[in-house]
Amino acid sequence: MAESQPPYKDPARGLTERVEDLLGRMTLDEKIAQLGCLWSTALVHDDAFDADFTAAKMPHGIGQVTRIGASTGLQPRESAELMNAIQRVAVERTRLGIPIFVHEESVGGFLHRDATVFPQGIGLAATWNPHLVEQVAGVIREQMLAVGARLGLAPVLDVARDPRWGRVEESYGEDPVLSGTLGTAYVRGLQTDDLRQGVVATGKHFLGYAMSEGGRNWNPVQMGPRELREVYAEPFAAAIRDAGLAAIMNSYASIDGIPCAGSHAILTDLLRGELGFGGAVVADYWSIPQLVRFHRVAADRGAAAGLALSAGLDMELPETEFYGEPLKAEVETGRLPEEVVDTAVRRVLRMKFQLGLFENPYVDAQTAAAKFQTAEQRALARQAAAESVILLANDGILPLAPEHKRIAVIGPGADDERLLQGDYHYPAHLEIIYLAKAQSSNPDNLIGDEDLTPSAGGAYAPGPYYTPHVTPLGGLQAALGADVELLYAKGCEVLGEDRSGFEAAVAAAKAADVAIVVVAGKSGLHRPVTVGEANDAAQLDLTGVQSELVAAVAGTGTPLVVVVLSGRVHSLEREAGHANALVQLFPPGEEGGNGLADVLTGRVAPSGRLPVSLPRSVGQVPVYTGYRAGGGRAMFFGDYIDSPTTPLFSFGHGLSYASFAYEQLEVTGTTTREPITVSVVVRNTSERAGAEVVQLYAQDQVATVARPDQMLIGFARVPLAPGQAKTVRFTVHPSRLAFYDPQMRFVVEPGAFRFAVGASAADMRCEQSVDLSGPVAEYRQREVVATGITIE
C-alpha cells in the first residue's frame, strides 16, 4: 500500500524527525544539490522564464537561488512571480519536492527595485539606536517576505578599525559591543521570534575580515587568538546568544595563513564549539574557488570542496562550481565521508523546515507591491537619516537662523542622488551589471570565466532605477520654503582636477548669508568610485579638488557649514580648520536630504554619534578606542614628532543643540559573580530638546594580560526636554568584563575596576572605581550577559 504522506511532509511531526526522514530518502545527488546554488538570471532563457529549461538545470533540486532583486530590474510583483515560478519547478518537478529559498542583500535596505533605501550600515550605526535598527530590519523583512526572499546576507558584524578598507561603510564601526548590540537588534527585526514569519539573517564575515594587511580587501589577517575572540568574534557571539542568529558567512581572508573558508578551527571549533552557533554557514561569493585560485591551499576543485565542507562551510554561493561534481567525486572515491555531506545537508533542511517552506513555498505576487514605498516606510527612512547626522563641530552657526534669507548650497554632493547611496544600495550595487565589462577580460580575475553577476536581458535587465531620492538641496528647499533663496553651485566633481566651477561657487558664497558645502564620496563596486567593496584607499583625504573648493569658499568670509557625505572615514583636519560647523553624513539613502535638512534647520536636534574614530591622518591608522594598556600613545614623548596620537574626533563623539550635565554617579558591586549597578542622572541644562547618548566605559585596572584602557560596555539613547532629568541605570553582569587569561580561560579576576560615564570616549563626565572580591570567576563567551539598561 502506498504511503499517503511521508513524515517529512507532515507539519505535526517534530523538526528533527522531519529532517532525518527526508535525509534518509535522499540520494547522494539530491544531498549535494541542497548544498549548491543557481543564479536567478541563469534560469532565464531567451529573455523569458522557461520552466523546462529550469527543470533541466536542477534535476535533483537545488539548495538556494541567488539574488532576484539584486540581479534584475524586476519590480515586486514580477519578482515574486519569478520566485514562485522557480519554486514551482523545485516543489512540483523534482522527486522529493524540496523547496528552494532565495537569498538577497540587505545591509542598508532590501537590495531590490522599489525597496526602501535606508542609511548604509555605518549610518545606522551612527544613530546608536538599537530600537531604530530593529525597526529598519522589520521593514526589510516585510519587503523580502513579500517577494519570497528568505535569506538576507546581513548584518555585517566585522569590527572595522582600518578606514582604508573600502567596506568599513557596510559595518557598524570599530567597537565590538556597539556592533554586537546593533547587529543583535538587526537580527531580531529580520528573523523575529518565529522564522516562519521571518527572514534568516546572515552574520558576516567570520572572522577578522576587516583587519587585513594594508586595508586591502581579501588580504591576510595577522592576529592572535585572544584578540580574535575578545574583539572580532564578540559581535557574532552577541547575535548568536541574544538573537539566535541563524546563518553565518565566512571571511575571504586567511588568519595566520589559514583561509577561513577552509578552517575547521574557525568555522567549527570556534564558531560552533565555543560560541554555540547551531545554524548554517554559507560561503561568501566564490570563496571556495579562492582556496585554489587565491590562497593556493588546494590543488583542484575536489580538494577545495572537501576542505571547505569538512571545515564546516555548508553551502556554496553564488553558483555551484565546486559543490557539484567535484564534491560528488570526493565522496565516491572515499576521500570524503558521506557523513560530512549529511551534516551540512541536515543544517540546510533544518533551515527550510524552520522557515515553513514545505507548508508555504509560494507568495501572493499580486499584493507584493503594497509592501514597498509606503508613507510609513519613508518616514522611518527619514528618521534614520536624521538620527545618523553627526555634528562634529559647531560654533553656533547651526541650527540655521531664521534671518538667513540667502543660503549658498555648494559642492558635488549637494544635488546628486547617486551619492546618497552606499555600495550595497540599489541601484548603486547593480552598476557591476549594467555598467561593467565582462570580468573575463581582466587578467587578475580570481572569480572565474563569467561576469561578476550574470545578467538576463529584456524585462529582466537591471538598470539605474531609483526610488524617489531627496538630495541635500532638495531637502533644504522643502524645509526652508519660498522665503529663503538658495544659490546652488556644484563647484567640482567628486573625482578629477577640474576647478572650472570654483568661480561660480565663490560667487554664490559671497552673495549668501551662509554657505553649506556638501563634499562627498562615491560608494560602489564598479569604478570610478572612491569607496566600497574592493575599493580600498591609501589616502584618507577628500578626493579630487574638494578640499580646495572648501578653502576657496572659506576664503570669502561667509559663515561656512561643511557637510561630509561619504562612506569613507576621512581625515578632516583641514576642513575642520575652515568650517564654522562640520557635519558627518554617511550614505543616508533615499531620505538623506530631508534628514539632513531636519537637523540643519533645527527641526530635529542632532543626536548622531561616531561609531568610529576619525583620524588626523592616514599615518595614525589604526586609531580607535580600546587600545590595550600601553597603546594609544608614543613612548617616550606621548605624540608623534609631527602629530598628536589622538584622533581628530573620538569614537562616540557628536554634538547637540542642547547641553547635558551628568550627576550623582553611583557604582555598586562586590564580587566577580554578582552584577554591578551603575546609575547616573543626566540633565538637559539648555532651553532646547535633545537626545544624549550616554556611554558607559570600564577599565580592569590590573589583570594578568594587558587589558584595554577603556572598553565600551553599555550605552543608552536618552531623549530629554529642556530642563528635564532622567536616571540611567546600567546593570553590568561580570561576564561582560571577562577576558581570556594566559591559559585562554574566559575569566573575571578580582581587583579594582574603574567605571566611567560620558558623552564620548574622550569626554568622560564622571567616574568611580570599585573592588570586586572573590575567586577568579570563569565564564564562557557564549554566555556573556548583555548590559541591562533602564531609564527613569
Side-chain angles (χ1 to χ4, degrees):
M1 184 175 179
E3 185 178 38
S4 59
Q5 178 174 262
Y8 78 88
K9 290 189 175 181
D10 183 359
R13 305 265 186 164
L15 176 60
T16 300
E17 181 183 1
R18 296 181 77 183
V19 169
E20 293 303 322
D21 177 71
L22 179 52
L23 183 64
R25 298 169 185 269
M26 297 172 75
T27 66
L28 180 60
D29 284 326
E30 289 166 334
K31 291 175 182 178
I32 288 176
Q34 288 301 305
L35 308 182
C37 193
L38 289 170
W39 278 102
S40 59
T41 52
L43 305 178
V44 175
H45 185 57
D46 293 334
D47 294 339
F49 178 77
D50 184 329
D52 293 334
F53 178 76
T54 299
K57 285 266 190 179
M58 40 188 259
H60 305 293
I62 197 69
Q64 57 183 298
V65 168
T66 295
R67 297 166 43 145
I68 294 175
S71 301
T72 75
L74 296 178
Q75 294 183 295
R77 180 176 64 82
E78 291 79 10
S79 175
E81 288 173 344
L82 177 58
M83 194 289 298
N84 282 342
I86 299 170
Q87 188 75 282
R88 191 165 289 108
V89 173
V91 172
E92 299 178 12
R93 297 184 63 170
T94 62
R95 186 177 74 91
L96 294 171
I98 302 172
I100 56 100
F101 58 78
V102 176
H103 74 255
E104 296 280 6
E105 303 287 357
S106 57
V107 170
F110 180 19
L111 214 165
H112 192 290
R113 186 175 178 182
D114 296 341
T116 309
V117 184
F118 292 104
Q120 178 75 310
I122 196 72
L124 293 174
T127 71
W128 287 58
N129 189 341
H131 178 66
L132 175 68
V133 172
E134 185 170 347
Q135 288 181 292
V136 167
V139 172
I140 295 170
R141 171 180 53 83
E142 182 179 42
Q143 294 178 342
M144 291 184 73
L145 286 174
V147 299
R150 301 303 297 276
L151 177 67
L153 301 185
V156 175
L157 299 175
D158 297 304
V159 174
R161 292 180 168 177
D162 190 334
R164 297 172 297 178
W165 188 54
R167 305 192 73 175
V168 171
E169 67 169 68
E170 300 168 40
S171 77
Y172 294 135
E174 72 179 41
D175 185 80
V177 169
L178 178 63
S179 298
T181 302
L182 298 179
T184 295
Y186 181 99
V187 174
R188 285 175 175 158
L190 197 70
Q191 292 189 171
T192 74
D193 294 331
D194 182 356
L195 275 179
R196 290 174 296 182
Q197 311 301 321
V199 171
V200 168
T202 307
K204 60 186 191 182
H205 308 82
F206 201 80
L207 189 61
Y209 181 36
M211 281 307 290
S212 58
E213 293 178 343
R216 297 182 294 270
N217 201 35
W218 294 12
N219 268 220
V221 172
Q222 313 296 346
M223 69 175 66
R226 183 171 290 103
E227 187 83 352
L228 189 70
R229 286 162 172 78
E230 291 178 0
V231 177
Y232 296 91
E234 177 52 30
F236 296 90
I240 292 165
R241 68 188 175 231
D242 296 334
L245 178 66
I248 287 282
M249 177 178 280
N250 68 282
S251 162
Y252 285 118
S254 63
I255 299 176
D256 193 25
I258 307 297
C260 291
S263 174
H264 191 277
I266 294 293
L267 297 183
T268 297
D269 296 342
L270 174 55
L271 178 60
R272 298 187 184 278
E274 295 183 41
L275 302 187
F277 178 67
V281 177
V282 300
D284 204 346
Y285 284 16
W286 298 287
S287 59
I288 301 173
Q290 285 174 28
L291 296 174
V292 176
R293 299 168 184 159
F294 186 65
H295 297 291
R296 303 197 311 275
V297 296
D300 54 40
R301 295 184 180 193
L307 179 62
L309 195 67
S310 298
L313 207 166
D314 300 313
M315 305 187 77
E316 182 178 9
L317 272 61
E319 56 195 344
T320 306
E321 183 182 358
F322 284 40
Y323 277 15
E325 288 301 319
L327 179 60
K328 181 181 179 182
E330 292 296 296
V331 176
E332 290 182 333
T333 59
R335 290 189 293 269
L336 183 72
E338 189 168 347
E339 290 78 11
V340 177
V341 174
D342 289 349
T343 296
V345 174
R346 281 189 182 92
R347 294 168 183 155
V348 176
L349 297 180
R350 183 180 180 87
M351 182 183 292
K352 291 186 175 185
F353 282 118
Q354 288 175 315
L355 288 167
L357 289 171
F358 285 82
E359 290 71 54
N360 296 291
Y362 308 115
V363 296
D364 184 353
Q366 300 306 312
T367 63
K371 301 297 184 182
F372 289 71
Q373 286 298 309
T374 68
E376 294 78 13
Q377 291 166 351
R378 289 200 70 96
L380 183 63
R382 182 171 184 163
Q383 178 190 348
E387 290 190 15
S388 77
V389 175
I390 306 167
L391 183 58
L392 297 174
N394 183 27
D395 69 0
I397 188 66
L398 294 178
L400 296 170
E403 56 265 28
H404 295 321
K405 298 302 182 182
R406 304 188 84 193
I407 297 176
V409 184
I410 296 166
D415 197 33
D416 187 338
E417 63 182 2
R418 172 63 180 79
L419 302 184
L420 300 171
Q421 297 211 325
D423 67 340
Y424 272 73
H425 278 146
Y426 190 101
H429 193 80
L430 273 74
E431 289 173 350
I432 55 177
I433 304 174
Y434 65 80
L435 292 181
K437 296 179 180 179
Q439 297 297 309
S440 57
S441 63
N442 178 4
D444 295 324
N445 179 31
L446 293 166
I447 292 170
D449 296 330
E450 302 298 325
D451 289 356
L452 187 61
T453 49
S455 172
Y460 297 89
Y465 303 118
Y466 286 86
T467 58
H469 276 47
V470 182
T471 66
L473 179 63
L476 286 166
Q477 286 173 330
L480 296 171
D483 291 339
V484 177
E485 182 182 2
L486 298 184
L487 310 173
Y488 169 65
K490 189 172 188 178
C492 65
E493 300 291 342
V494 169
L495 291 163
E497 302 298 318
D498 186 359
R499 298 169 179 81
S500 61
F502 279 26
E503 183 178 353
V506 167
K510 286 181 177 179
D513 301 316
V514 62
I516 300 171
V517 178
V518 186
V519 292
K522 183 180 180 181
S523 302
L525 281 77
H526 178 70
R527 293 185 179 182
V529 293
T530 66
V531 65
E533 184 174 3
N535 289 293
D536 315 307
Q539 301 296 328
L540 299 179
D541 298 329
L542 295 176
T543 55
V545 293
Q546 293 185 92
S547 286
E548 295 179 34
L549 176 66
V550 171
V553 173
T556 66
T558 301
L560 172 61
V561 177
V562 175
V563 178
V564 182
L565 169 57
S566 178
R568 172 79 61 199
V569 177
H570 291 284
S571 53
L572 300 171
E573 200 153 26
R574 282 178 293 178
E575 288 68 35
H578 289 307
N580 298 89
L582 183 62
V583 175
Q584 175 70 60
L585 181 61
F586 296 112
E590 63 186 32
E591 283 287 333
N594 281 333
L596 176 63
D598 287 343
V599 172
L600 297 184
T601 60
R603 178 180 176 272
V604 173
S607 62
R609 299 293 185 267
L610 283 172
V612 291
S613 303
L614 294 195
R616 299 175 187 273
S617 67
V618 72
Q620 289 181 295
V621 172
V623 57
Y624 57 90
T625 291
Y627 285 112
R628 292 185 183 272
R633 61 192 305 265
M635 300 301 175
F636 304 112
F637 302 104
D639 290 331
Y640 296 103
I641 61 169
D642 52 1
S643 170
T645 55
T646 56
L648 181 64
F649 295 104
S650 68
F651 173 77
H653 172 73
L655 303 179
S656 176
Y657 299 147
S659 58
F660 305 94
Y662 289 65
E663 308 164 352
Q664 303 175 38
L665 176 68
E666 293 184 7
V667 181
T668 58
T670 57
T671 77
T672 55
R673 284 289 186 185
E674 297 172 326
I676 302 108
T677 299
V678 181
S679 65
V680 66
V681 174
V682 182
R683 186 181 306 277
N684 185 339
T685 57
S686 71
E687 297 180 357
R688 288 183 176 273
E692 177 73 324
V693 178
V694 180
Q695 301 164 40
L696 174 63
Y697 295 85
Q699 181 193 72
D700 189 343
Q701 294 186 274
V702 178
T704 53
V705 303
R707 301 291 292 130
D709 286 336
Q710 56 182 12
M711 306 176 293
L712 181 74
I713 59 171
F715 61 91
R717 194 172 185 279
V718 186
L720 292 166
Q724 184 181 20
K726 291 183 180 179
T727 299
V728 182
R729 184 170 288 104
F730 298 97
T731 302
V732 182
H733 191 273
S735 61
R736 179 76 281 170
L737 305 172
F739 64 95
Y740 286 91
D741 72 1
Q743 291 75 43
M744 290 302 291
R745 299 175 303 166
F746 194 61
V747 302
V748 177
E749 297 171 341
F753 290 80
R754 180 178 69 89
F755 295 89
V757 180
S760 80
D763 185 11
M764 299 302 174
R765 302 297 180 86
C766 46
E767 63 180 63
Q768 183 178 329
S769 295
V770 297
D771 287 311
L772 301 184
S773 62
V776 173
E778 189 166 353
Y779 296 97
R780 293 193 296 176
Q781 192 172 1
R782 65 196 292 180
E783 297 169 346
V784 170
V785 178
T787 299
I789 300 164
T790 58
I791 302 173
E792 300 170 352

